[in-house]
Amino acid sequence: MSLIGMSLSLALLTGCGGDGGGDATAGGDKATAPAPAAKGAVKGPAYRGPALPGFAARPAWSLPAEGTSAPGVLDLGSTLLLAKDARGDYAGTPTEGMLSDSEEAEPLTLEFRDVKTGAVRKALKVKARTVEAVTWHDGAPVVAVTSSTTSKSDGLTEARTTTTATLYGADGGELAKVPSYERGTLLDGYRVEKAGDTLRLTPVDGGPSRTVTCTGTLASCTYDAETGQADASVAHAPLISGGYYPGFLNASNYQTEPEQITLNELATGKQVWSTADAKIPEGVELDDKGHPESEEKRILRISGGKVLVGWKAGSSLSSGSWIHAWYDLKSGALLTSYKGAAEVLFSPSGDLAARDVVKFEDFPGTAVWQTADGKRLWEQQDGEHTLDPVRFTADGSVLYGVTDDKSATDTGIAVDTRTKKVLAKNLSEENIPSVDTATGYGYVGTDAGLFVFAPA
């Protein structure tokens, strides 16, 4: 993996420059005038919030709030989707990936706006019950717009409601229709269905289905739509990642053999790798049979023909120690290993990772390291407020998170990923920017409106 360059100036990190104007400083609350609009850019209200490290001081474009509610968006990668009702009012902040959620279908105008300028690329009139963020092939973000039809009872059969989802890409073009759709059951263009005690993956645009192996007495493998994870008894893996899907062996508390994870090609259904055949990395405690003391393990990342696996280091329930190990998928060789964590936040490129806060550790702070070799860039120390990471900027140069400073509420903060230098503090939750990784732009919704910033 290529490592993120270290020569990023503080001026850029604090948002000075970038668009050529403003003297806002990190953590300040100086009002900024509207930025000179690029050709075709949308002109909106001035941003009066704190500077956002990693982004330009002034917004590239903005839209005013309606009352105290900013227009909500779904990020489709270089396109931001907004939904306007029949009165002309924008839907508010999405909840659990839903930009619109109503009992009955309502007329909406979907606006596909260019992230960089705010220009409407396409306006699409639909009648929708829900507008939901889902993914298409290779994880491309798309939107599912649902409508329902109800067949009346004939006196014997019950009335039946059927929901159909129409999928639209970032350009507003129709991709597919999915009949009998249920919320949270589309991933990478596959319908995710429960099949007995396991899961079945069926491509909505045609092709063979795949079944997630789930063996063991009273085994039951499940899918968490919010995280995209498939879960067995103590093993976890992304349901679809990098063209692969998992399987689980001995996935039950009633088995005498260790629980294992397999990886299988989506294209062929062929198994290509298994933790059962993987060399156990140093630092993982073994029992008298040479098996790990703990069966807990998880697939963390699949990239460039390699898989990153997290192994729990010991059997103690209170232990937060984990070992991360990279394996070559073709040869199965163990490439490198190092101390890691159970819950990990990756930078968009995957070159960096931050440890999510572990509540049962004596000091539940975070750390940042290079995923290629495990080199720690920094780690929190006693005497610091606990930093819980939320997201990286697209280039990985800034880490946003919240700290527990013992006050009534958590406090937003931004730190330099390489040095741990605090670049902004006392940010409200609404001022922690979301990031469009396709362009590097960031956006926030406040009671004044929606503001979109170019990367600094």
Side-chain angles (χ1 to χ4, degrees), residues 75-89:
D75 190 339
L76 302 184
S78 79
T79 300
L80 296 183
L81 178 70
L82 295 85
K84 187 180 289 185
D85 64 20
R87 299 182 301 276
D89 296 332

Side-chain angles (χ1 to χ4, degrees), residues 394-419:
D395 65 358
S397 63
V398 180
L399 174 64
Y400 280 86
V402 293
T403 59
D404 183 0
D405 62 2
K406 310 305 180 184
S407 62
T409 58
D410 289 342
T411 302
I413 193 170
V415 298
D416 186 311
T417 303
R418 291 283 170 182
T419 67

